[in-house]
Amino acid sequence: MEGWLVYRRKDAERNSHYIAFYKEAGERHGVSVLLRYLEDFSSEQGTLSYAGERIDKKPDFVIMRADVPPFSEQLEGLGYRVFNNAYLSCVANDKEKTLRLASAHGIPVPKTRFASREDAVEKARELGFPLVIKPPDGHGGMDVYMLQTEAELLALLPGYAHKRFLLQQPVSELGKDLRVYVLGGRIVAAMLRVREDDFRSNYCLGGDARPYALSEAERQLVEQVIGLFCVDYAGFDFMFDEGRMLLNEIEDVVGARMLYHLTDIDIVDRYIAYIKDCLTH
C-alpha cells in the first residue's frame, strides 16, 4: 500500500520530524508514505502531473497536510481518497463557514459578526468594545488582536491584510481553551491550553497545556459537532464562557505537539493504522 503525504514546501521544512513520524509509522504498518510538495502538482485537461511528469498510477490514499480545499476537491473528483475529505477541509479552513454551520445546528459559539472594512465599524458597534478581530482562514493565533476601542479598530483596518474577518465579543475566560483531538470520528484526547500573559492560548505561542477530562455534557457537545462531518483526523477547539464550552474553530491540518510532549499517545501511528483499516475493510 502506498500513499502521499502532501505539504507545502515551506511547511515541510519546519515539520521534518513530524514527517519522519509518518514514514516510520508507515514502515511499521507495511505502508509506503511518500512526501509530495503541493507546489509541484499541476493539472491540465483532467490529468494530474507531479514535477512535470504525468501521474498514471494513483496512490492508495492522500494525507492532506496543506490547507487547500480546492485541491482536495480536485483530487476527489479524479478518484483519489483524501484524508481529510474536501468538505471538512472547506468548512474547517473558513471560520465563518464553521460558525454559521454550528449555529444552524444549535451548537453554542462566541457572539460574532462577520465583517469587511466597509461595515466593520457598524458591526463593531453592534457588539460593543472590547472585541477580538481575527481572519476567517487564520491559524496559530496569527493576525488575531484584542481591540479596546473604536479608535484602535480604525487604526488597524487600513493595514489589516484580510478583506473579510470576524469580530467577536471576548469570552469570560480569556487565555484558556480546549483542543479535542478526533480520529476516525472518535475522541482521542482533550488538551486544555492556558496562558496568563496573552488572551491567545495557542501552545505554539507559549501557552501551557495539560490533559483534560471531559464531563459527560462536554463530551456530548463535542460529539454533536463531530457528527456534522466525516472526520478522519482533526482538532476541534472550544473556548469557555460563563462555565460553558463554545465552539471556536476546527483544525483540519491539526498539530500534535501537545500529544507527543504531554501524553504517551502516538497519534500518527494510530492515524496510519486507521487509514490502512479504512482501505482494507
Side-chain angles (χ1 to χ4, degrees):
M1 185 178 293
E2 181 177 282
W4 295 342
L5 181 65
V6 178
Y7 268 90
R8 288 185 174 88
R9 192 177 297 273
K10 63 180 178 63
D11 293 333
E13 291 172 359
R14 63 184 180 85
N15 284 283
S16 58
H17 289 90
Y18 194 53
I19 291 168
F21 290 170
Y22 275 95
K23 293 183 176 181
E24 292 163 5
E27 291 174 1
R28 289 193 294 272
H29 291 279
V31 176
S32 178
V33 179
L34 306 175
L35 177 63
R36 293 289 182 263
Y37 297 115
L38 177 70
E39 297 86 348
D40 289 346
F41 285 99
S42 60
S43 60
E44 185 177 351
Q45 298 179 344
T47 63
L48 191 67
S49 297
Y50 185 76
E53 298 290 331
R54 175 172 170 167
I55 299 167
D56 294 317
K57 183 179 180 298
K58 294 184 180 70
D60 296 294
F61 61 89
V62 177
I63 300 173
M64 186 58 65
R65 297 293 298 176
D67 51 351
V68 187
F71 184 54
S72 295
E73 188 173 6
Q74 179 186 12
L75 290 178
E76 290 179 351
L78 294 171
Y80 291 72
R81 174 62 166 94
V82 183
F83 297 76
N84 288 303
N85 63 73
Y87 175 70
L88 173 60
S89 181
C90 179
V91 175
N93 287 291
D94 186 327
K95 293 179 178 62
E96 180 172 344
K97 290 180 179 178
T98 298
L99 297 184
R100 288 190 185 279
L101 178 65
S103 294
H105 287 83
I107 294 164
V109 300
K111 191 172 183 180
T112 304
R113 294 292 185 273
F114 307 107
S116 64
R117 290 190 184 95
E118 291 72 24
D119 63 6
V121 172
E122 176 188 348
K123 297 293 180 68
R125 287 173 178 171
E126 292 175 5
L127 286 174
F129 289 87
L131 56 78
V132 175
I133 185 172
K134 62 177 65 173
D137 57 350
H139 299 281
M142 298 300 294
D143 292 336
V144 178
Y145 302 101
M146 178 74 74
L147 303 175
Q148 300 293 334
T149 65
E150 187 173 307
E152 290 184 8
L153 173 62
L154 290 170
L156 176 70
L157 286 176
Y160 199 55
H162 309 275
K163 293 181 179 179
R164 286 192 60 79
F165 40 84
L166 283 68
L167 300 173
Q168 291 183 330
Q169 279 191 348
V171 295
S172 64
E173 299 183 57
L174 291 174
K176 173 183 174 182
D177 80 346
L178 184 73
R179 168 159 294 170
V180 181
Y181 289 89
V182 175
L183 178 64
R186 297 183 177 182
I187 297 170
V188 173
M191 302 295 293
L192 184 68
R193 303 182 293 189
V194 180
R195 190 170 181 185
E196 300 294 338
D197 61 344
D198 197 321
F199 72 97
R200 300 169 300 173
S201 56
N202 307 71
Y203 191 59
C204 63
L205 296 179
D208 294 323
R210 60 180 181 271
Y212 180 88
L214 294 165
S215 70
E216 183 56 34
E218 291 170 340
R219 180 173 292 273
Q220 289 178 5
L221 174 60
V222 175
E223 289 175 347
Q224 184 183 358
V225 180
I226 295 171
L228 300 178
F229 306 94
C230 177
V231 183
D232 293 316
Y233 171 46
F236 293 78
D237 291 351
F238 296 83
M239 296 190 292
F240 294 89
D241 187 60
E242 303 297 340
R244 65 172 186 157
M245 285 190 354
L246 310 178
L247 178 66
N248 183 30
E249 61 186 12
I250 303 169
E251 289 291 344
D252 166 35
V253 183
V254 64
R257 290 185 184 90
M258 288 185 292
L259 291 182
Y260 283 103
H261 290 173
L262 303 171
T263 78
D264 60 359
I265 297 171
D266 187 344
I267 195 67
V268 170
D269 188 86
R270 293 192 189 188
Y271 193 17
I272 293 296
Y274 161 78
I275 291 171
K276 184 177 180 180
D277 186 65
C278 286
L279 298 175
T280 55
H281 291 88

